[in-house]
Amino acid sequence: IPLFKFIFNFLKDKFWMPLKTFFENWFGDIGKLYDSIKASFTKIADGDILGGLMDLFKGIGTFVLSTIDNLATLVYLNLYWKYHQLI
């Protein structure tokens, strides 16, 4: 049982905050994605079809790139860097 307690405390101390930060940023990006989709459909409904489609793809692309950026930050700066500080 002390081994499990050590592993749990290690994971909680080293990996909880980076994962929490990642999910907070990711859910914020999801909110921005829905706002972008709503604005693009409003633009399409107003008659600017090409502008609405451009905004739709731009919003989706921004979400994908932001998610990749958050994942890279999570893996490199938080998990990889903290792991190598332990060695």
Side-chain angles (χ1 to χ4, degrees):
I1 293 191
L3 177 65
F4 292 124
K5 194 174 194 179
F6 171 76
I7 291 172
F8 175 76
N9 287 333
F10 174 77
L11 291 175
K12 182 182 75 164
D13 293 339
K14 300 297 179 190
F15 299 120
W16 173 248
M17 286 307 292
L19 287 173
K20 181 181 172 195
T21 303
F22 167 74
F23 281 110
E24 287 174 352
N25 291 338
W26 191 56
F27 283 119
D29 291 339
I30 289 174
K32 291 177 189 174
L33 174 67
Y34 283 128
D35 290 340
S36 173
I37 290 173
K38 179 182 171 187
S40 65
F41 279 120
T42 302
K43 198 179 255 191
I44 290 171
D46 289 341
D48 186 12
I49 296 173
L50 290 177
L53 289 175
M54 292 288 287
D55 287 348
L56 179 67
F57 288 118
K58 183 174 139 186
I60 292 170
T62 302
F63 171 73
V64 169
L65 290 177
S66 180
T67 301
I68 291 171
D69 180 41
N70 286 335
L71 280 172
T73 302
L74 172 73
V75 170
Y76 181 73
L77 293 179
N78 293 319
L79 302 180
Y80 179 78
W81 183 255
K82 287 184 179 184
Y83 174 74
H84 282 287
Q85 285 180 342
L86 297 174
I87 295 176

